[in-house]
Amino acid sequence: RIQILFEFMLTVSNGNHAETVLERSSLVELIEVLRGIEEGHKRHESQLLEDLSRQCLHERCLSTHIFKEEFRQIFEVLIKQRLDKGRHHRDFYQSEYFLRILIWIKIFIRDPYYQKELFHMGGVKILSESLRQITEDYLSFEDELMGIEVLKLMTNIFQKLCVEPSQRLWLMACDVPRSLVLLLCARDLSVLNCALFALIDLVKSVQTRVVIGDMNCVETLLHILQEYNDPYSKRLSSELLKQLCILENVRSQIKVYDGIPLCLSVLHDSDLVLLFNVVSIVEKLCIDNESSSEIRELGGIPLILTLIQDGTRLSKPDELRQLTRTYSECSDDQQRGGSPFDSRRCDTVRLHTACCATLTQLSLNDANAQNIVYSNGVFILGRLILPPEEAAADEDTELREMLQLTALRALRFLFSMERNRQLFKRLFPTELFEMFIDVGHYITNIHAYKDMLHYINNSSEEARNRIKCRIHNTNQNRAPMFFVGQYAVLEHLGSGAFGNVYKVP
């Protein structure tokens, strides 16, 4: 029965199904039944709620609907009489009737007007108390299908309410974040993912981020990242952890719970979005000098450079299918700016950009900077400063230019270390090298590198080929020029009165 009840939420209307016409008389009948007190009307009322919710499935703005007055009365009765009075009965939360009320609330709050009305009528406070009670029951007893469906609906409702920044503070005042954090221990993956979705929207505001960061959820998120097999749960947990890493106390907790080696172990994964989130986490951890040194000692620098050098990575087909199903289930009709999957090329560029930003942060430590150079980092980063040979879409162009800028910044930070400067003299032509020097040491503002970007992107093909050749000459793993006995000659370093000097392994 529960499966039948929720099928309409996942059904997409098409030409094979006849459209139902919403009639005013049906709404008026529902209002009269809702205002009645006879117990015998309960079954009829439940059926009316279900039938009309099906007809309103695709309604988005009930406050401007032709029957807006009738909808307003239904909303008021549902909140003030049914939801408010029902919460005093423990069995109320485990009933199908409560599910139907939540479905109607979910339909109403698609309209921003009814989101505010839900707050003003005290509905959010009632729902938050209900969520707390249901969460405690769910985590204390055996899984029940009804409790799982209720939690999925309630977390989706709170997720929609998180979209407006001012409403996040109201949700924080109602202690909603605490219940959502408790649901990170949910046994059902759909409940877990819905809770993660809501928390990710909540932490977009500074005040709510601080509150959630103080709830000691870091260990749970790291556990999901390490132990769970569900790819979407890992994506969402890494996204939430990335947002929370802005806070110093969260970064300290990651270090305490051995999060640094855990994050580095995830860099062997094939999911581009997961890799982007984890690399961004590593970048924020590098703010602490001790953590930055630990990342080097654990071999993090070659791993990050390998992510750039390996190029595009693909998620497995079965993982992609599972991600699509989970996204549809958790996001429902929430407008999140399109599909959760960008094109493979865009995801790759974003990952490379995050890697460059992380290497920039790491290079503030001299030992790290030297490690990057020894790991062939100058050549790997140098290849990223050139524009792509094929034409790209507008969005791709913007992403690609940001990648070029972050690569130039990473190279400039490496140049700031004196022992690396001789290598850079061979990397750029004279005019570009002058611009490179003029930027200054350790300048983080990305706009300071735009003149270099303009010079490279607008230079002739011949000039680009010369730059490309210079970059190739910095490759420590390139084929030798020739052999002298058992020695492989890599490059000609210079000439003098006593002969020529060559570099050999």
Side-chain angles (χ1 to χ4, degrees), residues 379 382-383 385-387 389 423-433 455-456 458-474:
F379 169 70
R383 292 193 305 169
I385 69 174
L386 296 171
E389 296 179 0
L423 179 62
F424 283 90
K425 291 179 181 179
R426 306 197 305 273
L427 181 62
F428 297 120
T430 304
E431 186 176 354
L432 185 59
F433 188 57
Y455 176 90
I456 293 171
N458 291 280
S459 58
S460 63
E461 184 176 354
E462 183 182 353
R464 288 185 195 175
N465 288 335
R466 286 198 297 268
I467 297 175
K468 189 181 298 185
C469 184
R470 287 171 174 266
I471 293 172
H472 177 74
N473 289 336
T474 64

Side-chain angles (χ1 to χ4, degrees), residues 376-392:
N376 210 20
V378 174
F379 169 70
I380 295 172
L381 290 169
R383 292 193 305 169
L384 299 179
I385 69 174
L386 296 171
E389 296 179 0
E390 68 279 2

